Amino acid sequence: MDSAAAAVTVAVSDVDTLRRVEALKLQLESAQKQKNHAQIKEAIGQLRQLNITMEMLQITRIAQLVNTIRKDFTDSKLKAQAKELIVLWRDLVTSGKASGRPTAQPSPVQDMSGLDCPPNP
């Protein structure tokens, strides 16, 4: 899915969160260039508190930036904080919960023993 298509799928209620993620991404990019560890840690902490959806991750590509920061810096606490956030996002994506919306549950199997239907061959 390209960014334009993903942007359309973001719910109106998520627009404020998306804007916040974009602002934090800019803050992270600036802090990365300045090698400002404290500002990076603060931004990562704020990202952790947001309810970020899979669509937001796709639109902003914030996970790639956080991963680059994790690889580029030697501060062990910063690396650990970045890795925890990446793992959290990865778990959300792989579990299907990253959409921020409940996943469809299959309907329960109904008891059809009282129906006069021949069994399938």
Side-chain angles (χ1 to χ4, degrees):
M1 174 184 301
D2 66 354
S3 293
V8 173
T9 64
V10 174
V12 173
S13 63
D14 294 335
V15 171
D16 289 336
T17 303
L18 180 60
R19 286 182 182 148
R20 185 71 186 130
V21 172
E22 289 285 2
L24 287 168
K25 181 179 180 185
L26 292 174
Q27 183 180 339
L28 277 172
E29 289 170 340
S30 173
Q32 180 186 24
K33 289 176 187 170
Q34 298 170 7
K35 306 249 188 249
N36 186 333
H37 294 215
Q39 193 176 18
I40 292 171
K41 289 177 186 177
E42 176 65 26
I44 289 174
Q46 290 179 33
L47 284 167
R48 188 176 179 88
Q49 300 302 314
L50 295 175
N51 184 22
I52 297 176
T53 65
M54 183 170 54
E55 291 87 1
M56 289 177 203
L57 292 173
Q58 291 171 337
I59 293 166
T60 63
R61 306 191 63 77
I62 189 75
Q64 287 83 354
L65 176 59
V66 172
N67 196 41
T68 298
I69 289 171
R70 180 188 63 83
K71 291 177 182 178
D72 289 348
F73 286 84
T74 58
D75 180 324
S76 61
K77 289 182 181 181
L78 187 148
K79 288 173 85 74
Q81 190 179 9
K83 185 170 184 172
E84 287 174 12
L85 184 57
I86 292 165
V87 168
L88 174 70
W89 287 337
R90 186 178 300 141
D91 290 347
L92 287 172
V93 170
T94 58
S95 70
K97 295 178 184 174
S99 67
R101 294 160 188 85
T103 56
Q105 297 294 323
S107 59
V109 176
Q110 297 176 356
D111 181 16
M112 293 192 225
S113 58
L115 298 176
D116 292 330
C117 298
N120 289 337

